[in-house]
Amino acid sequence: MGKYWKYIYVFALIILFFNLITESPNDKIEKKQNEIKFSDFVAKAKKGELESIVIKGDVVEGTLKSKGDEKSGKKDEKKESQKFTSKVLFYPRLLEILEEKQIPTEIKIEAPFEFSFLEIVRVFATFLWIIVLVLLFRSLKSDKFSLGKSNIKMFTSDMQKVRFSDVLGADEAKQEVAEIVDFLSDPTKYSRLGAKIPKGVLLVGAPGTGKTLLAKAIAGEAGVPFFSTSGSEFVEMFVGVGASRVRALFEQAKKSAPCLVFIDEIDAVGRHRGSGYGGGNDEREQTLNQLLVEMDGFETNTGIIIIAATNRVDVLDDALLRPGRFDRQVYIDLPDLKGREAILKKYISKVNILSDVDVVSVARGTPGFSGAELANLVNEAAIIAARKNKKKISQEDFEYARDKILMGLEHKSKTMSPEELKNTAYHEAGHALCSVLLPEVDPIHKATIIPRGQALGLVQQLPERDKVSVNITEIRSNIAVALAGRISEETFFGKDKITTGASSDIQAATKYARNSVVFWGLSPKIGTVYYGEREKYPISEETSREIDLEVKRMIDEGYKLAKSTITKNKAKLEKLAKALLEYETLTGDEVRAIVNGKKIKLTKKVDVVKNRIERESTLPFTDRKVKQKEEKKK
């Protein structure tokens, strides 16, 4: 019936339009203007000013004599008689007056049940609009159009095709929720021992780690109905609508119990109460209160398990996290090396790749990638291969896609002056040199002076294994590596020639140092005290000053370490810079070989000279001629 609604509305509008145009507005205005009072009609009849009249029921229509006729007593055909209408009231002598003045009178008696075609259409249109309004009012009360109804999606067991085997890289999380599946499949196994299954399970993890996928897998394994919605679905402008939707959600879930209710991004509605506008009367807090009541009210919601997902568990209200509501919190971490390898194999199986693609190497080069990011990596590699008109995806395409995601798109057409290019080469050579020589630094993967993203050049490092913690030596070395670019500029070009290119490096070094002091307790002077959230734990001005001094001290130590490393190895840094100027991009193996004094076969020159010529074309003509002569002499 729903698909025919638009035709019903269109037909009703056509009838209404026809009903409106059957009687012209001009006719209505003319009738209103020609209408006279009954007393005036009788007076004109007594004076003989009427030419003729027609009586239809309680309405009289007629024409008045023209003024020329009244004076001459003759009828002038050129002059139009004025028409009039009037209501007929009870007046016994009316017919006598009309007969006495010899006014032609016609009396029409209409049948009470005779209707014209237009009147029938008007009656039909009126009834049609009454029916349309009744149906529209009923539809507004239905689930589809009501503000108070929850706009949730229900998936039956036949529609659920996701299983635990589809969730990769989260083995511990799957083990944690496996008993929920067992309970939904065989509740008596737990009830006979007096055990109660958790009412709510909160899935916590970074974006893209597979929280929604895991919730679908739970419902798919258990074979029960699965209701899916999000926290933002409950929040509306009108106070009380969200609470009504929560009630409607649980009413629908009770009818399908046992079942699962999944609320994605629950932090949209479950934040700490009292932090919004209006105290406890705003819409979000009303909705949260209703959710708390439904999850642990007087009525037991047997067979309904709430699964919620968030990446901001720190902002959730304490009442929502207590036992009896969300009894269990399941943390879904980023996949480790084995998990990334399994996820990549799943997505790679859906595309065409060459047989020599090393999935383990790709997985090792993507630390910190979530499942969604790995899926995006495979898709980017497929797009890159298709752009090159390849039939299959190669290892090179995966490497290029990873570099594009991590470092940004190459801007080979970006013009730079020779001075800027040389400065960038020595800057990146400083980073690369310290990455190789300093202890406990992640291995260098690539160094380039081709602009990527917002950077004019960069040095990329990739860890050999997954890390869960860092030590003080590693932090000190990373600070030195971050500052090495600025120190290299200062060493080779002087303090007056250093540029603003180190702004992101300074931010990275400061972040390392500040985290070490306020979060990780690695400062001997400040001690093992947490100063991370100053809003919750205010600190004195003296302590704040000491923190700033400690951060400055750690940065100064890193600066000295990088300065001494570059000063002792100026010749190696200069070789690196010249290689970057010639080839623009060096792999990690090539950088290590140059630093260790080995002879290697560098990557072939592809469009590198052309790129440099395009960049030099921005110089004045005379400067280009001088530079070309100098190159010919060499």
Side-chain angles (χ1 to χ4, degrees), residues 40-272:
D40 295 337
F41 163 66
V42 174
K44 291 181 183 294
K46 289 178 179 180
K47 294 177 181 180
E49 296 177 357
L50 303 180
E51 183 175 336
S52 64
I53 64 170
V54 178
I55 299 176
K56 298 178 181 179
D58 61 344
V59 178
V60 60
E61 297 177 356
T63 55
L64 299 174
K65 291 181 179 179
S66 62
K67 294 181 179 181
D69 292 342
E70 295 174 10
K71 294 179 180 180
S72 63
K74 296 180 181 180
K75 186 176 181 180
D76 189 356
E77 294 180 356
K78 294 182 180 180
K79 296 180 180 179
E80 294 183 358
S81 301
Q82 185 179 0
K83 296 181 179 181
F84 73 93
T85 61
S86 179
K87 293 286 185 180
V88 177
L89 303 178
F90 179 73
Y91 192 73
R93 295 189 65 248
L94 177 60
L95 293 177
E96 295 180 7
I97 295 171
L98 296 174
E99 199 173 311
E100 180 183 342
K101 298 297 182 180
Q102 297 181 354
I103 299 173
T105 303
E106 182 182 356
I107 300 175
K108 290 185 177 181
I109 301 175
E110 297 181 353
F113 297 104
E114 288 185 2
F115 295 99
S116 65
F117 174 74
L118 295 180
E119 290 173 339
I120 293 173
V121 171
R122 291 194 189 100
V123 173
F124 176 73
T126 302
F127 277 107
L128 178 62
W129 269 102
I130 292 174
I131 294 171
V132 170
L133 290 175
V134 170
L135 293 176
L136 182 62
F137 180 74
R138 292 181 62 184
S139 66
L140 288 173
K141 293 179 64 178
S142 66
D143 292 352
K144 186 176 180 181
F145 295 96
S146 177
L147 286 172
K149 295 296 182 180
S150 179
N151 188 22
I152 65 172
K153 299 176 183 177
M154 178 180 176
F155 302 92
T156 61
S157 56
D158 298 334
M159 301 168 63
Q160 287 298 324
K161 299 181 180 180
V162 181
R163 297 293 184 268
F164 278 154
S165 58
D166 299 316
V167 182
L168 303 173
D171 297 334
E172 292 79 6
K174 287 191 290 186
Q175 294 175 3
E176 188 74 10
V177 298
E179 61 189 33
I180 297 176
V181 176
D182 196 15
F183 170 79
L184 292 171
S185 304
D186 185 16
T188 57
K189 176 181 177 181
Y190 294 88
S191 60
R192 67 169 175 259
L193 297 175
K196 295 180 180 179
I197 200 67
K199 290 185 179 180
V201 177
L202 186 64
L203 304 179
V204 183
T209 50
K211 299 184 290 295
T212 305
L213 185 66
L214 181 59
K216 289 182 179 179
I218 295 171
E221 291 286 346
V224 296
F226 178 74
F227 295 88
S228 176
T229 186
S230 65
S232 60
E233 290 287 348
F234 299 111
V235 181
E236 288 287 349
M237 180 177 65
F238 305 104
V239 176
V241 174
S244 176
R245 289 184 174 179
V246 171
R247 287 191 295 269
L249 168 62
F250 278 87
E251 286 175 5
Q252 191 173 354
K254 289 173 187 176
K255 296 176 183 178
S256 304
C259 64
L260 288 174
V261 176
F262 176 65
I263 305 176
D264 199 8
E265 303 296 344
I266 195 173
D267 51 276
V269 70
R271 288 175 176 265
H272 292 291

